[in-house]
Amino acid sequence: MKLSLLDLVPLLEGADAATALAQARRLAQTAERLGYSRYWAAEHHDMPGLACPAPEVLLSHIGAHTEGIRLGSGALLLPHYKPIKVAETFRLLAALYPGRIDLGIGRAPGGSAHMSMALSGNFLENVRQLPESLRSLSALLADEFRVEDVPVRAMPVPPADPEVWLLGTNQKSASYAAEFGTGYVFGQFMSDRDGAEVFSAYAREFRPTSLGAAPRAIVAVSVLCADTEEEAHRLASESKRLLQPEGDSGADRPKPMIGTPRQVKAALEQLQRDCGVDEFMIVTLGPDYESRLRSYELLADAVWGAAGGISTA
């Protein structure tokens, strides 16, 4: 089983943005030491509790403070941007950190309606044009893009192009990933859909392209581990109180995996059997930075450490 990490870069314990970003660097370094495969940063706009509107900038910083862990966006919100700028930015990252860069793409707004208008105008129209944007991005990464029949290249050309993934929570996003040959990340922590059905459709519809020769799949799940089950639930309760928007009961969202490391490992193994997926993208929102970091450490030890065993959640 592979584990990767999705960081929303939260402001915890009254931290300012500088502190939250320093904690993101610390988390990525710890994840690399523990054996996590990827560190991905999410894109959000005008959200007071989150500190990363531009994952590509954060990834450049973290790349300079890590050695080999893969770095990616989870997700870069393509409807807001021109494909040429996305291709140039991530090719530049891939030139700085060869063989380490993932371009994870999403189609959510990442903020309020008015923020989306400020960022890119008519967001719904941009979402409608997503297939064309994906075609342009594919052509740019294959050096086949043309404007008025004149070749246009996304520079610089790195030793290896970024690995492209599409993120989503339903079958429509899986179908896009299959059509364009990208990897697919199913956001289980944000979806009530059956992941097994979504991945089955992705694998069934997949067609090889320049972006990928075979299906690649990851499940993104919310996890909170502690040394005891009681402590894990206490931390989860504090996290909910601190991080959940006022008036939002959270009743419509899937429940996170909460418990001891052995319990969470067992839940992941069951999900692995259900979905036929070997890699999990772990998002953890503890009430403070130390408990969040400890959760990632405990899970890594349960999955890969000598004491890691199979239990039930």
Side-chain angles (χ1 to χ4, degrees):
M1 180 189 298
K2 291 182 179 180
L3 297 179
S4 293
L5 186 156
L6 175 61
D7 190 2
L8 305 185
V9 197
L11 279 68
L12 302 175
E13 306 174 283
D16 60 13
T19 299
L21 293 166
Q23 291 291 343
R25 181 181 66 238
R26 178 189 179 202
L27 182 60
Q29 291 170 325
T30 302
E32 180 171 65
R33 174 177 58 80
L34 293 172
Y36 283 78
S37 297
R38 311 172 198 268
Y39 170 91
W40 284 12
E43 175 183 345
H44 294 93
H45 298 277
D46 196 24
M47 292 192 178
L50 303 176
C52 185
E56 64 275 21
V57 178
L58 178 59
L59 296 178
S60 183
H61 171 68
I62 286 178
H65 290 85
T66 52
E67 297 294 331
I69 191 170
R70 292 192 68 91
L71 306 172
S73 52
L76 181 130
L77 306 177
L78 184 59
H80 288 311
Y81 309 111
K82 292 289 189 181
I84 181 66
K85 184 60 177 175
V86 174
E88 287 179 331
T89 298
F90 277 79
R91 273 192 159 183
L92 178 56
L93 285 169
L96 287 168
Y97 308 111
R100 297 179 58 191
I101 299 301
D102 297 326
L103 170 52
I105 294 168
R107 58 192 183 102
S112 69
H114 287 89
M115 171 51 68
S116 295
M117 290 168 64
L119 188 60
S120 61
N122 189 335
F123 181 76
L124 292 179
E125 175 61 20
N126 295 340
V127 170
R128 189 185 68 80
Q129 294 180 5
L130 183 64
E132 183 58 36
S133 293
L134 288 169
R135 274 188 284 274
S136 295
L137 182 63
S138 299
L140 284 159
L141 293 178
D143 292 321
E144 297 173 351
F145 187 72
R146 304 177 78 86
V147 176
E148 296 182 348
D149 208 32
V150 176
V152 173
R153 299 188 74 189
M155 303 295 284
V157 179
D161 269 318
E163 196 172 275
V164 181
W165 296 77
L166 195 66
L167 287 70
T169 58
N170 54 45
Q171 211 155 304
K172 185 169 185 178
S173 54
S175 294
Y176 279 141
E179 177 183 353
F180 289 96
T182 73
Y184 182 62
V185 183
F186 176 62
Q188 180 78 67
F189 72 103
M190 298 185 297
S191 177
D192 58 359
R193 302 298 179 92
D194 184 336
E197 289 184 6
V198 173
F199 282 122
S200 177
Y202 167 63
R204 184 175 62 252
E205 298 173 16
F206 185 90
R207 64 182 186 87
T209 70
S210 60
L211 297 181
R216 294 166 283 128
I218 300 175
V219 182
V221 292
S222 179
V223 165
L224 185 54
C225 292
D227 290 291
T228 67
E229 187 174 356
E230 294 74 17
E231 176 70 0
H233 282 281
R234 182 188 70 78
L235 292 170
S237 179
E238 290 186 17
S239 299
K240 184 177 180 180
R241 177 172 54 82
L242 291 170
L243 300 171
Q244 191 166 283
E246 187 175 350
D248 180 3
S249 69
D252 296 334
R253 288 195 293 274
K255 295 188 185 325
M257 297 180 180
I258 302 169
T260 66
R262 293 171 68 87
Q263 289 174 327
V264 171
K265 182 191 177 192
L268 289 174
E269 289 175 331
Q270 183 60 56
L271 191 56
Q272 183 179 34
R273 290 188 290 270
D274 292 343
C275 294
V277 172
D278 291 327
E279 184 171 351
F280 294 94
M281 183 79 63
I282 307 299
V283 56
T284 294
L285 290 174
D288 57 77
Y289 291 115
E290 294 305 322
S291 64
R292 184 177 69 143
L293 197 66
R294 178 66 173 157
S295 178
Y296 282 111
E297 291 173 337
L298 288 170
L299 181 59
D301 184 62
V303 172
W304 301 311
I310 300 175
S311 296
T312 183

